[in-house]
Amino acid sequence: MSTSSKPRPRDWHPLADSDPVPGEPEEIRDEVKHMVQVAENLRAQANPLRGIKDDKMLYGPAVQPVTNWTPPA
C-alpha cells in the first residue's frame, strides 16, 4: 500500500455532492496499526492462559472453568 501526502480533493461535484469515501486516509492507517497491535497483545495474553489450561498442578475454584474451556471454532 502506498501512502500519499497529496490531500484529497474537496470538490466532488462531478461525482457526488460530497466526498464519497469519508475519512482521512492517514487516520484510518493509524487506526489499523492500533487494532493490529491490540490483536497481537490479546494473542500474547491468551497463549499463557492456554498453557494454564493444560497444567495439572492447578487447584482452587477457578481451575475447573479454565481447564474445561474449549476455544470457539
Side-chain angles (χ1 to χ4, degrees):
M1 179 191 306
S2 66
T3 59
S4 172
S5 59
K6 185 176 175 182
R8 292 180 51 80
R10 300 266 182 224
D11 181 16
W12 292 93
H13 178 69
L15 301 174
D17 291 334
S18 62
D19 187 347
V21 184
E24 295 297 325
E26 190 59 38
E27 289 179 19
I28 293 169
R29 279 187 214 93
D30 290 345
E31 187 62 24
V32 168
K33 288 176 189 175
H34 170 73
M35 296 307 292
V36 166
Q37 185 63 46
V38 168
E40 290 172 357
N41 288 339
L42 289 172
R43 280 188 210 100
Q45 293 173 20
N47 288 334
L49 292 174
R50 287 189 185 101
I52 290 171
K53 178 184 182 293
D54 298 329
D55 191 347
K56 304 298 181 203
M57 301 296 289
L58 295 174
Y59 58 91
V63 173
Q64 187 175 4
V66 172
T67 56
N68 293 333
W69 181 79
T70 304

